[in-house]
Amino acid sequence: MGELWRNSAVELAAMIRGREVSSREVIQAHLDRVEAVNPYLNAIVRLLPDQALAAADVADRAVADGAGLGPLHGVPVTVKVGIDLAGTPTTQGVPALAEAVAPVDAPQVERLRAAGAIPIGKTNMPDFGLRVHTDSALHGLTRNPWNPQRTAGGSSGGEAAALATGMSPLGLGNDLGGSLRNPAHCCGVASIKPSTGAVPTATVIPPEDWNISFQLMSVEGVLARLIADVRAGFTAIAGQHPRDPLSVPAVFTGLAPGERPAVAVLPEPPGGSTHPGVGAAVRRAADALADDGFAVTEAVPPDYEQAIDLWSTILVADLRIMKPVLDQLMGPGGRQFLDYAVEYLPASDLAGWAMAHTARHGLARRWSLWYQQYQVLLCPVWSQPAFPLDFDIASLDSAIATFELIRPVLPANLLGTPAAVVPAGMADGLPVGVQVMGGKYTELRCLAVAEAIEQRLGPLTPINPVAG
């Protein structure tokens, strides 16, 4: 039977369906793995052993009875603490919400359960998800399993660290400024940031309604070790839901058998420096695609740096409005990063904010047309490997450097377009992820291209965490 925690979600579902192993055995194997490695990482901050094992017994009875089984039947999953999981607090990483118990599941959790998945725990995030480094005022620091002195990324850092070390095969997170993709890069796993509206989102923990920047640019998604699991998770949770008025019944574009779309490659994105090892990883992924028959060309999307500036202008307007309340609820690290953000990122009056939205529409149109020439864009996730702990708040200069290194993730948030992440190698002893981006609702195409890279270069995880 081997070490079940090493298997993928899709593999585990097939094994349970085929009666090679029981769901209880699978859940117990992951609970044992959490016990063995989570003390080194602090990735899972709330474990649900009794509920998970009880659900596994129900799942095993369904198999024995010959009942209809969902695609993730009996498979363990983890859920970020900023997402409602019935009977557990949606803490957002802050002490003020430590007892904010959600009575119902968020739509994406509801749908994973409907697919047969079993939540086994909740994973760490920074205060309100407003850092790209996972250190919570309530739950503490999550360490990178490759190097405990480097960030696990954020804001879904707990999820990525748990996945990378085999504590879970599939997890839920969200993404306003790379929060599904940043930790995937830092920890060496895969993810998908969907198009805006592709996956529903809702909460019963106040505030239930979000500022305009969050409505436009924040999305829900999944992380896993393998692209096949990312695809399985994404297809399980996507689609319109009555609790989310912005969700849509999208039809997602994929690849026909043998289809090889044109790929634009951007190893060193404009707007700042790029670590040589990161650029090399992007070129390695591009070479893998070229070897597989894809047409690969180095090219830059239109007005790339404007996309970064507009993301900042639109988000910081809301952050300035929210800051007095956030300052009362966030810990010192979160407040410091927020202070640096509003000091550095551009301020605008009402006219400037309105013009930014007009400019966003024009930029989205130009990128949409550009994606007719190049169906996908291959580029870094971050322009640097995972940074040292608390680098983002060490000084204003380091905060500015942090905004510079995350710049490749921002256009997809601004434009509401999908971006898949797949590992493509190492730099300075740390994993490097690459993004496969595309036009709206081309999630399945992005995942197919990412999977082609994965099949050539191979996964990096699961691993045992480096202690120290």
Side-chain angles (χ1 to χ4, degrees), residues 259-347:
E259 182 183 359
R260 294 292 184 266
V263 178
V265 183
L266 185 61
E268 290 97 13
S273 62
T274 299
H275 188 284
V278 171
V282 175
R283 291 189 171 92
R284 187 180 307 116
D287 289 344
L289 292 177
D291 290 344
D292 203 27
F294 289 82
V296 176
T297 307
E298 289 205 13
V300 184
D303 303 308
Y304 189 91
E305 290 181 74
Q306 185 188 21
I308 299 165
D309 293 341
L310 290 173
W311 177 89
S312 302
T313 299
I314 291 170
L315 178 63
V316 80
D318 277 343
L319 292 180
R320 290 178 186 277
I321 294 169
M322 298 160 62
K323 192 173 185 302
V325 174
L326 293 172
D327 281 344
Q328 297 179 48
L329 301 176
M330 297 175 77
R335 287 198 304 271
Q336 183 63 76
F337 189 67
L338 188 60
D339 286 344
Y340 285 144
V342 297
E343 180 178 353
Y344 167 66
L345 296 178

Side-chain angles (χ1 to χ4, degrees), residues 201-400:
T201 181
T203 181
V204 294
I205 306 301
E208 297 179 59
D209 301 308
W210 296 300
N211 300 68
I212 187 65
S213 60
F214 287 72
Q215 295 179 41
L216 290 173
M217 301 194 297
S218 183
V219 297
E220 306 295 320
V222 296
L223 304 94
R225 290 189 293 273
L226 297 179
I227 292 295
D229 288 355
V230 174
R231 183 187 294 108
F234 168 72
T235 54
I237 66 176
Q240 194 169 33
H241 194 286
R243 291 180 60 197
D244 182 358
L246 300 180
S247 61
V248 296
V251 176
F252 300 104
T253 301
L255 287 186
E259 182 183 359
R260 294 292 184 266
V263 178
V265 183
L266 185 61
E268 290 97 13
S273 62
T274 299
H275 188 284
V278 171
V282 175
R283 291 189 171 92
R284 187 180 307 116
D287 289 344
L289 292 177
D291 290 344
D292 203 27
F294 289 82
V296 176
T297 307
E298 289 205 13
V300 184
D303 303 308
Y304 189 91
E305 290 181 74
Q306 185 188 21
I308 299 165
D309 293 341
L310 290 173
W311 177 89
S312 302
T313 299
I314 291 170
L315 178 63
V316 80
D318 277 343
L319 292 180
R320 290 178 186 277
I321 294 169
M322 298 160 62
K323 192 173 185 302
V325 174
L326 293 172
D327 281 344
Q328 297 179 48
L329 301 176
M330 297 175 77
R335 287 198 304 271
Q336 183 63 76
F337 189 67
L338 188 60
D339 286 344
Y340 285 144
V342 297
E343 180 178 353
Y344 167 66
L345 296 178
S348 62
D349 57 15
L350 180 59
W353 180 82
M355 289 303 296
H357 284 281
T358 302
R360 171 183 173 271
H361 185 273
L363 187 65
R365 173 172 41 79
R366 294 192 293 279
W367 276 57
S368 182
L369 293 171
W370 186 80
Y371 277 130
Q372 301 305 300
Q373 180 180 4
Y374 303 103
Q375 281 71 60
V376 296
L377 170 63
L378 178 66
C379 67
V381 180
W382 283 6
S383 64
Q384 305 291 329
F387 55 72
L389 301 178
D390 287 335
F391 170 80
D392 60 324
I393 59 170
S395 66
L396 177 58
D397 285 344
S398 64
I400 292 170

Side-chain angles (χ1 to χ4, degrees), residues 173-182 184 190-199 215-223 230 234 252 311 360 381 408-421 435-444 446-447:
N174 31 46
D175 191 315
L176 172 67
S179 288
L180 286 157
R181 295 162 289 157
N182 305 328
S191 71
I192 181 75
K193 178 258 170 214
S195 305
T196 302
V199 175
Q215 295 179 41
L216 290 173
M217 301 194 297
S218 183
V219 297
E220 306 295 320
V222 296
L223 304 94
V230 174
F234 168 72
F252 300 104
W311 177 89
R360 171 183 173 271
V381 180
V409 301
L410 304 180
N413 288 107
L414 176 81
L415 304 175
T417 52
V421 173
Q435 286 189 104
V436 179
M437 301 169 61
K440 269 201 167 183
Y441 310 123
T442 62
E443 279 83 344
L444 298 182
C446 292
L447 288 170

